[in-house]
């Protein structure tokens, strides 16, 4: 097998699409069970976090605001392709920076899909226009709308060390508003703190109980704890043999069940990428239509190994 690897790439990880650094066959994932279609609403965010995987900030507009018309076009493609989706997800940046966010959710909910919006629940969500819009969505589609709030840690000190002084209290205020208006929410935290899973969940459970949040900290779907995504950390490449070694099915990574639509700055139209984590890596851009995006994905990135295969994480609800 080593003869298949170009000499200049031997020993270099994540370079050849189909072959690993040692010459083994790289694992690929077929798009076998469409479940979630993600839309990146734009990379602008109200805050800057040092470990943001997509480098969102108040000035990063590499991915521009997607529009309701563009979302509707892709929802039409879903119907044309007979994808058996059950969920539409919106991520950013901060989705509520997009002035069309309420309508993006409405057109998706009106098609009968569940909608998951990832948010920091801070000032953009708390604008009166967004509050009024969320209340209307809640009144019309209550059981199918969920907001997943980014809460890096259950303590203010550690959360603020990532998101800025005072961020924890601002997010908590947003969560209390969601609670008071009966809008379903879940939480996304991180595992970077050196705590065990049980310790982290116990801390979140206490926070939820103190604030009357109806979130089950013991349920990984309601309290998602994401592994760190540091591209400088050494991780193994995933070969076809890894599925048996790890005892995992080949359709376990989220690229078997989801795709993400992005709109690049200066582009005439949106494009589809394989993964929510790899919006900038052009190797994972699959074309401008869902039909093109049905091809398999080669696991040729450190995030594929650490986050999905070894970390067992998924962005979907």
């Amino acid at each position: 097998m080593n003869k298949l690897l170009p000499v200049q790439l031997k020993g270099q990880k994540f370079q050849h699409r189909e072959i690993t650094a040692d010459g083994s066959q790289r694992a690929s994932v077929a798009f076998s069970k469409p479940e979630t279609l993600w839309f990146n609403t734009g990379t602008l965010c109200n805050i800057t976090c040092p470990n943001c995987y997509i480098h969102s900030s108040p000035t990063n507009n590499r991915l521009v605001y997607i529009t309701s018309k563009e979302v509707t076009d892709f929802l039409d493609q879903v119907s044309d392709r007979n994808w058996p989706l059950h969920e539409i997800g919106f991520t950013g940046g901060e989705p509520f920076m997009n002035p069309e966010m309420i309508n993006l959710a409405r057109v998706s909910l009106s098609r009968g899909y569940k909608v998951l919006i990832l948010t920091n629940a801070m000032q953009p969500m708390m604008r009166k226009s967004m509050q009024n819009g969320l209340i209307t969505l809640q009144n019309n589609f209550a059981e199918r709308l969920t907001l997943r709030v980014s809460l890096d840690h259950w303590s203010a000190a550690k959360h603020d060390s990532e998101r800025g002084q005072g961020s924890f209290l601002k997010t908590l205020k947003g969560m209390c508003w969601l609670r008071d208006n009966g809008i379903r929410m879940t939480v996304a935290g991180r595992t970077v703190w050196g705590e065990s899973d049980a310790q982290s969940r116990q801390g979140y459970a206490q926070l939820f109980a103190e604030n009357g949040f109806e979130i089950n900290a013991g349920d990984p779907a309601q309290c998602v704890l994401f592994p760190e995504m540091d591209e400088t950390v050494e991780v193994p490449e995933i070969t076809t043999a890894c599925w048996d070694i790890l005892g995992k099915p080949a359709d376990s990574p989220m690229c078997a069940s989801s795709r993400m639509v992005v709109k690049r700055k200066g582009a005439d139209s949106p494009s589809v990428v394989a993964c929510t984590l790899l919006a900038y890596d052009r190797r994972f851009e699959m074309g401008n239509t869902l039909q093109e995006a049905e091809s398999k994905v080669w696991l040729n990135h450190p995030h594929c190994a650490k986050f999905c295969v070894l970390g067992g994480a998924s962005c979907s609800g």
Side-chain angles (χ1 to χ4, degrees), residues 1-296:
M1 182 69 76
N2 279 307
K3 65 182 180 181
L4 298 178
L5 188 66
V7 173
Q8 67 270 25
L9 293 180
K10 286 185 177 179
Q12 298 182 45
K13 289 185 175 182
F14 304 106
Q15 296 298 311
H16 190 281
R17 187 181 72 160
E18 301 177 25
I19 307 297
T20 64
D22 68 356
S24 300
Q25 181 69 50
R26 186 180 305 284
S28 62
V29 175
F31 189 59
S32 57
K33 50 178 185 180
E35 295 176 354
T36 304
L37 181 62
W38 287 91
F39 291 94
N40 188 292
T41 61
T43 41
L44 287 174
C45 187
N46 55 304
I47 56 176
T48 301
C49 302
N51 289 303
C52 178
Y53 74 94
I54 205 167
H55 309 296
S56 298
S57 76
T59 59
N60 179 10
N61 63 348
R62 289 176 66 182
L63 302 182
V64 298
Y65 291 150
I66 202 159
T67 68
S68 299
K69 183 179 183 301
E70 289 163 340
V71 168
T72 298
D73 174 67
F74 277 95
L75 295 180
D76 288 342
Q77 291 183 51
V78 170
S79 298
D80 292 341
R81 302 303 299 166
N82 292 315
W83 283 15
L85 297 185
H86 63 79
E87 178 184 60
I88 303 297
F90 294 97
T91 183
E94 168 51 49
F96 288 103
M97 295 280 284
N98 187 319
E100 292 196 55
M101 185 60 247
I102 297 300
N103 202 39
L104 301 181
R106 183 190 63 77
V107 298
S108 303
L109 289 161
S110 296
R111 300 285 185 107
Y113 299 114
K114 293 181 180 179
V115 163
L116 177 65
I117 306 173
L118 311 191
T119 179
N120 57 37
M122 296 172 71
Q123 292 94 328
M125 189 197 78
M126 295 293 280
R127 288 178 291 167
K128 187 57 65 175
S129 61
M130 294 299 173
Q131 288 182 327
N132 291 340
L134 282 170
I135 290 171
T136 299
L137 292 177
Q138 171 67 14
N139 289 338
N140 294 328
F141 308 102
E143 296 305 311
R144 289 189 275 116
L145 175 66
T146 302
L147 273 63
R148 180 188 288 165
V149 179
S150 297
L151 200 63
D152 287 341
H153 193 258
W154 47 267
S155 73
K158 290 185 176 178
H159 176 87
D160 285 359
S161 70
E162 289 294 323
R163 296 184 178 253
Q165 187 67 32
S167 294
F168 184 85
L169 290 180
K170 291 176 183 177
T171 292
L172 208 61
K173 180 179 179 181
M175 294 177 71
C176 289
W177 182 85
L178 292 170
R179 175 203 64 199
D180 293 344
N181 286 278
I183 299 172
R184 179 186 288 111
M185 61 179 159
T186 59
V187 157
R190 300 170 64 210
T191 60
V192 69
W193 311 109
E195 299 173 336
S196 69
D197 183 82
Q199 289 172 325
S200 293
R201 295 190 183 281
Q202 182 178 5
Y204 279 109
Q206 182 174 342
L207 176 70
F208 299 159
E210 289 172 351
N211 289 276
F213 299 149
E214 293 185 3
I215 306 172
N216 181 356
D219 182 351
Q222 295 188 48
C223 185
V224 188
L225 301 180
F226 286 125
E228 194 67 4
M229 293 178 288
D230 185 349
E231 294 184 32
T232 66
V233 173
E234 184 74 9
V235 294
E237 294 181 286
I238 305 301
T239 69
T240 54
C242 288
W243 305 125
D244 288 337
I245 294 171
L246 297 171
K248 289 193 171 187
D251 64 356
S252 57
M254 60 184 174
C255 52
S257 59
S258 67
R259 293 289 185 265
M260 183 169 75
V261 178
V262 303
K263 180 75 176 289
R264 302 191 190 283
K265 185 178 181 179
D268 293 330
S269 60
S271 54
V272 188
V273 296
C275 176
T276 57
L277 308 179
L278 301 172
Y280 300 137
D281 194 325
R282 293 300 185 107
R283 295 176 301 173
F284 293 87
E285 186 161 330
M286 309 189 78
N288 299 108
T289 68
L290 295 187
Q291 181 176 5
E292 294 172 288
E294 291 173 351
S295 58
K296 66 182 177 181

